[in-house]
Every structure is written in C-alpha cells, then in structure tokens.
Amino acid sequence: MNPELATPADDPKRLSVKNPPPLKGFAPVFTWGSRLAFRPRRFLLIAAVAVGLGALVGISGVDERSPFAQKDKWFYLWELLDKQTLQYLLPLCALLFVTPGFSNEVSQRTLVYHLVRPVSRSTVFLARFASGVLPAVLVGTLLLWSVLWTSGLSVPTTVWMAVPAVAALSALLLGSLYYMLASIFRKGMIAALVYTFVIETMFIAARGSVQTLSMSYHVRSLYRALVNDEFAERSRYVADAIDPDGLLFRPGVENLAEAAVTMLQKPTYSSGPTAVITAIVLSAAFLAYGVWRTKRRDFPLKD
Amino acid sequence: MSETPSIALTNVSKWYGEVMGLNDVSVEFGPGVSGLLGPNGAGKSTMLKVITGMLRPNLGTALVCGRKPFDNPGVMRRVGLVPEQDAFYPHAAILDVITYLTRLQGYDKAESRRRAMNNLERVGLGHVMDRSAAGFSKGMRQRAKLAQALAHDPDVLVLDEPLNGLDPTGRREYAALIRALGDEGKCVLVSSHILHEVALVARRLVVLHNGRVLAEGTAREIREDLSEYPLTVHVQTQDGEALAPLIVSLEGVGRIEHAPTGLIVRTTQPNRLFDEIGAMAAEGKVTVEALDPVDEDLEAVFRYLTQ
C-alpha cells in the first residue's frame, strides 16, 4: 500500500449531507446496467436462441405436412404469433433481461456499494429496470422477425414495422411486472415463470372480462390492432368468414372460421391506443410498488 | 447536521424475526479509529449495516453525521464502507467497477477514473487494475474493497472484518493505512472477531456479545471495570511455599499454581488479594517482590467478557 497516493481532501460542498435531487445518478446506473445487459457473450447467446426458437415457430407454420398450413398459412401464422409467440416466447425476453436487473444486485450483494452512495434506492431500482428494457426489445424484435422471415410468406412491411412496437410494449409491461415480482420474492425469476406459464394461461383461458387481467392481453391487443387488417386481407378463412356465399359453414372448418371471425371482432380486444395507455399505467403502477417496497426494505445482503 | 464525522446509536434494537441482532445498544464513535469486537453472531455486522443504512432499527435511533442513514442518500456522501462480503462484478475490470462506483458520488467520468486509478495504486493494486476481481486472491479483494471505499475521500469509514485474508505484510500495511486515516481525523470503525486485528489499529474498543454492548473504552479501562471477573496475578516471591496456605482461604481466590518465580493466583477479587498480600508483607510474614496482573491483554479481556 502506498500512503503517498492519498486522495486529496474533498471540497466542503461535496461533504454536504443534503439529499440529492430525484433521479440524480440515474445515468451512470443506467449505463452500467446496459453494459451488464449487453455483455457480448450472454447477449449474443440469448439472441441466437431467440432467433432459433422464432425460426422453429415460423418453419412449423409453413410445414406442408401441417393441416393448418395446407389450409391457410396466413391465418396460421397470425395465430402462431398471437398465441404461442406473444403469450409465451416474447415474455421470456423480458424475463431474461429485465427481471435480473435489481435482483442480481441483491443476490450477488453488489447492491451494498449502491446503498452507501449518494444515490437513492429508487434511482437504482428504476435505472436498472430501464437498462434491461432495450435489450429485451431488441431480442424480442429479432424473435418475432425470425418467425415472419422463416414463415416463407411475403409478409407486408406494415407487419414487419409493427413488430418492434409490440416487442417494446411486451418488454415494458411484462418487464415491469416481473421486476416488481423480483422485488417481492427472493426467487423472482421463478415467480415470473410461474406467473407466465400458470397464471397468464388461466387468465387467457377464461372467458369475458377476466381475460383483461392478463398482461399479454394488452400486448396482443396492440398486435391485433396493428396487423389484423393485413392478415385478414390475405387469409382464406377470413375471406370465407366474411363471404356471403356461405363458405363459413363448410364442414370441417367451423372452428377455424369461428376463430377468423373472432379475429375480426376487434371490440372484443382493446384498441391500439387503449392497449398502450393501459400498459403504461399498469407498468407505472408495478414500478411504483417496487420502488415503495425497495425504499422500505432492509437489505442484510448476507453471504 | 454534524460537521464532525460521527456515529451515534441511541437505544438501538434490531431483530430478525425472533433473533435479536442488536439489543438496546447505545454507543458513540467520533474521530479516530474505534474497534468493534465480538465473536461471530455478536451483532457487529448488524450494527455496521444499521450505521450504513442497509437496515432500519426496530427501536432507537442511529445517526451518522447527525442524520439518520436509512434510505438517506445525502449522508452517504460522507461514508465509505468496506463490506465483509466479497461482492464484485465478475465480468468487469476492477478499474471500471471502481470508476463506476466513484461516479455515483457525483464526480464526472474523468475525475472518477483518476480517483479510481489513484486509489488502486494506493492499495497496491495498480498492476492489476485492468483485471476482473473474479481472479483476485482474498487479500487482493480486500484491497479492492478499500480502494472503492476511499475513492471519494469519506470522513466516516466503516470497515467490516477488513484484515481477513491478508498476508502478514499486507495486514501491517493495511493497519498502518487505517491508523493514518484515523490520525487525519476521520471517524473510522473497524469490526473484527479477532482481537489482535483490532489491537493493531484501534485504541478504543466496543465489545459486543449477543447484541449487547458488554464494555467500551481502552483495553485497560475495560479491564478495570471488571473487578468481579477472575484475574490471574503473578506474585513474585521467594516464599511461595509459605504464602500459598495463607492466601488459599481468602475470599475470591481460586486456583494457585507454583511457578519458578513465585505463585500464579487466580482470583475474582484482585483488589482484596493485593491488600491482603500487602498486609502480610508489611507484617513480615512473607517477602513479596511484585504483584503483576498477567492477563490484562485484549485476549483475556475479550474472553472474560464473552464467557
């Protein structure tokens, strides 16, 4: 050790114990969190897995052995995106990038260094959330694009352009929910997985307004608002459904036709603006609760 | 607001469920190095976490520089902490980590980096500042933790088991640095369960056990307060054979051992023993050359207090 290199005495202003302004220190925590989230090896691995999963979903849609693909590839692609991808795969991006932001600081005990700095707990909490959203949006977009690309269909530009918005809403809404769960439960990732695969499934399976309790309902609302017209134009079943010649009731296609009609019944889902506003309000509420808990909580940070 | 770097705990209790971490603790620390001593589970880390705002006391008040530290980021401008746990970001160079942590103190990036480099050099890690702490030895990690705690020149410094894992040379250097910080007028609080570590750096001691303050003061002051605790006394005499039967029946006297230079006597009432032997010597019954307490060192004090 070299005592000659002592840091010079500080200026008196810096020794003030006044609380810093709100969100002071947000930028460095956000930058640091982004650096951790975009760690090349981890980020590329997750992105590659996401693209691979998306490709599997897309290829399954064009597989000629699939009875769905033989009948109506457009409708099947729409459904693949709406159900499997938006409900189960896209939330995984938020789970992997947003959820660990703060809980990793707690579990790895590096939070201790933030607690003894003149940065409020809420700033650290919110900045680490924000730093996880962008990589979740990027990987979510890649995932959805890979589904579109491998479907083999000539997907219109509007649908390609809608994907980042849907991925962003998913990262924001589900990310904030998972983030809040991670501030409540010690095993936040497991709580988030249980929520996604059990509770969300129950909400979606329910009928009527109970569905609106599902978070992916709002993401799917935006998706439907942005892409339904494009898919409806190209879907044979949708055409059948609205065809006055009675093809709707052709034997063997009732269920799909019914689904196609449902697809067009936008009033059963929220409109695009309503979905976005609802998602933002819910996200703000989840984050506010997380901040409230974090500010009150003890952090023993034991080994 | 207190300009003087200080820590004050008043009737502080902290419990975790049914486990008592701190039990009605009142203690103050001012400028200079103070030692917090106690066995594992005594409540040392709980006290340090209350002081650094990680835990909120269930009862009582903790003040650092006159302010409550829990969720009070302003007061943390003046606080530096060396935590007990080895927590570092494994995927980043230690220079980058400390630069980041120093930025949180309000410095710009260039100044933070300069301070981080300066302090890594100061603690002897200048040659490895581009490496991740994941590959560091325990001693190197201790130094890195000190570097991050010193980078913003805090005037309240809290060190939890700081000498763990250091080699003897590193231990001496680290202790010298802590003493120098105390001499600069900083309020330095060092916790340890190992006596000679605390003895290396601190003049004032606070002994904790089962969440309570058992004693505080210098080692000598603490020992003087412990008249009811057994003390081992070396009676230097040529008349050991004659003296032993005379003192064996005295109140408080326990074991008596013969030594080449006299007797080793264990007593719970040392003052009475000194008076009686003095009287016997004055009456000419025995010749006594000296009476020396032999266990006034920290180890004995600690042992007495925590038994």
Side-chain angles (χ1 to χ4, degrees):
Chain A
M1 303 214 185
N2 189 352
E4 300 298 314
L5 291 167
T7 306
D10 227 322
D11 61 290
K13 255 183 8 188
R14 210 177 282 285
L15 294 181
S16 155
V17 294
K18 274 187 186 168
N19 271 339
L23 298 183
K24 173 85 177 165
F26 186 93
V29 180
F30 174 80
T31 309
W32 184 255
S34 298
R35 176 180 165 160
L36 297 179
F38 279 112
R39 229 171 47 236
R41 192 184 296 178
R42 178 175 181 270
F43 180 78
L44 291 175
L45 179 68
I46 294 174
V49 170
V51 168
L53 282 173
L56 277 178
V57 172
I59 289 166
S60 74
V62 295
D63 186 347
E64 292 300 328
R65 290 166 297 182
S66 158
F68 293 103
Q70 288 167 18
K71 287 176 179 169
D72 188 343
K73 283 182 185 174
W74 282 101
F75 184 72
Y76 187 49
L77 176 62
W78 176 87
E79 206 171 42
L80 277 175
L81 285 166
D82 183 61
K83 291 189 177 155
Q84 287 85 341
T85 316
L86 294 191
Q87 191 172 340
Y88 296 115
L89 293 184
L90 200 55
L92 292 181
C93 300
L95 186 78
L96 289 171
F97 286 106
V98 184
T99 314
F102 191 78
S103 58
N104 271 4
E105 296 282 355
V106 177
S107 63
Q108 294 171 5
R109 302 179 306 280
T110 41
L111 183 65
V112 67
Y113 298 116
H114 297 85
L115 295 178
V116 291
R117 295 288 186 289
V119 177
S120 69
R121 293 172 173 211
S122 46
T123 300
V124 177
F125 185 84
L126 293 173
R128 289 308 306 270
F129 168 77
S131 63
V133 170
L134 181 60
V137 174
L138 286 178
V139 172
T141 301
L142 289 175
L143 167 67
L144 294 174
W145 277 348
S146 68
V147 176
L148 299 180
W149 185 56
T150 52
S151 69
L153 298 173
S154 178
V155 178
T157 312
T158 317
V159 176
W160 289 96
M161 300 294 284
V163 160
V166 173
L169 198 73
S170 170
L172 178 71
L173 180 56
L174 288 153
S176 58
L177 173 69
Y178 297 158
Y179 204 62
M180 181 194 73
L181 290 174
S183 76
I184 298 171
F185 299 104
R186 190 180 292 260
K187 303 281 183 192
M189 295 283 265
I190 292 173
L193 279 171
V194 168
Y195 174 81
T196 304
F197 289 98
V198 180
I199 300 180
E200 275 282 314
T201 306
M202 283 165 52
F203 286 148
I204 287 294
R207 292 284 171 190
S209 59
V210 178
Q211 282 200 351
T212 59
L213 295 174
S214 150
M215 294 304 118
S216 64
Y217 170 87
H218 306 288
V219 178
R220 291 162 71 190
S221 291
L222 180 67
Y223 162 75
R224 289 172 180 228
L226 294 176
V227 307
N228 266 12
D229 288 345
E230 298 292 342
F231 277 93
E233 274 179 23
R234 292 162 176 80
S235 167
R236 190 164 63 85
Y237 283 118
V238 173
D240 288 349
I242 58 175
D243 192 305
D245 296 332
L247 290 175
L248 172 63
F249 301 105
R250 197 171 49 186
V253 297
E254 286 84 354
N255 289 341
L256 282 173
E258 189 182 333
V261 172
T262 305
M263 183 176 112
L264 289 179
Q265 288 174 337
K266 287 182 187 173
T268 62
Y269 274 77
S270 309
S271 68
T274 306
V276 171
I277 291 167
T278 308
I280 289 172
V281 170
L282 285 172
S283 299
F286 294 146
L287 291 175
Y289 182 74
V291 164
W292 180 77
R293 268 192 65 85
T294 304
K295 285 180 77 66
R296 292 168 53 87
R297 217 181 120 183
D298 279 345
F299 287 102
L301 302 174
K302 286 182 178 172
D303 280 324
Chain B
M1 184 192 103
S2 166
E3 289 299 330
T4 310
S6 62
I7 298 166
L9 275 67
T10 310
N11 304 118
V12 167
S13 294
K14 178 69 195 174
W15 53 82
Y16 311 92
E18 292 181 359
V19 177
M20 204 72 177
L22 290 176
N23 189 354
D24 197 26
V25 168
S26 294
V27 64
E28 289 187 10
F29 303 98
V33 184
S34 303
L36 190 57
L37 191 61
N40 289 327
K44 303 185 300 296
S45 288
T46 300
M47 184 190 276
L48 299 189
K49 285 169 184 170
V50 166
I51 289 168
T52 51
M54 285 184 262
L55 303 178
R56 185 191 343 228
N58 294 101
L59 291 174
T61 310
L63 296 175
V64 174
C65 300
R67 291 286 190 95
K68 290 183 181 178
F70 184 85
D71 191 28
N72 188 349
V75 79
M76 293 305 159
R77 281 197 191 89
R78 299 181 69 180
V79 176
L81 169 70
V82 173
E84 183 184 7
Q85 61 268 33
D86 281 334
F88 272 109
Y89 297 96
H91 304 289
I94 193 66
L95 175 60
D96 293 344
V97 173
I98 297 180
T99 300
Y100 161 61
L101 295 175
T102 310
R103 278 197 77 191
L104 296 182
Q105 296 290 345
Y107 298 103
D108 63 32
K109 198 170 181 181
E111 174 64 8
S112 301
R113 195 168 179 84
R114 190 189 69 74
R115 283 176 175 258
M117 289 172 76
N118 198 23
N119 279 282
L120 282 165
E121 293 280 359
R122 185 183 188 186
V123 300
L125 293 179
H127 60 297
V128 289
M129 63 172 72
D130 291 326
R131 280 172 41 190
S132 155
F136 283 6
S137 67
K138 174 85 178 167
M140 290 164 84
R141 290 199 295 271
Q142 290 287 29
R143 289 163 186 259
K145 286 190 284 183
L146 183 63
Q148 64 77 30
L150 294 178
H152 57 289
D153 191 35
D155 50 5
V156 173
L157 197 56
V158 178
L159 304 102
D160 197 354
E161 308 272 0
L163 302 179
N164 273 1
L166 289 168
D167 59 42
T169 310
R171 196 174 285 247
R172 260 200 317 278
E173 291 172 352
Y174 204 120
L177 181 56
I178 293 171
R179 283 196 300 268
L181 292 166
D183 292 342
E184 286 173 20
K186 296 181 190 300
C187 173
V188 184
L189 182 55
V190 181
S191 92
S192 178
H193 64 283
I194 300 170
L195 271 164
H196 65 264
E197 283 188 1
V198 179
L200 268 175
V201 293
R203 292 192 192 93
R204 179 169 175 250
L205 297 177
V206 171
V207 183
L208 270 183
H209 188 55
N210 287 337
R212 284 182 174 276
V213 173
L214 286 187
E216 58 178 298
T218 62
R220 174 171 284 275
E221 285 167 352
I222 291 171
R223 192 64 193 85
E224 283 169 2
D225 288 342
L226 295 173
S227 55
E228 74 273 25
Y229 286 90
L231 181 73
T232 305
V233 179
H234 179 203
V235 185
Q236 283 191 49
T237 177
Q238 301 297 318
D239 300 331
E241 295 289 334
L243 181 61
L246 294 175
I247 60 172
V248 73
S249 57
L250 288 178
E251 198 176 334
V253 170
R255 199 175 60 226
I256 300 176
E257 292 172 30
H258 289 274
T261 52
L263 299 174
I264 304 293
V265 183
R266 191 160 170 82
T267 176
T268 56
Q269 296 186 15
N271 291 340
R272 177 154 190 182
L273 179 73
F274 292 159
D275 291 347
E276 292 289 344
I277 292 178
M280 289 174 199
E283 289 168 14
K285 292 180 183 172
V286 289
T287 305
V288 175
E289 288 140 26
L291 286 167
D292 297 316
V294 295
D295 55 1
E296 208 168 33
D297 59 288
L298 279 174
E299 198 69 55
V301 171
F302 188 42
R303 198 171 54 240
Y304 290 153
L305 287 171
T306 56
Q307 272 168 1

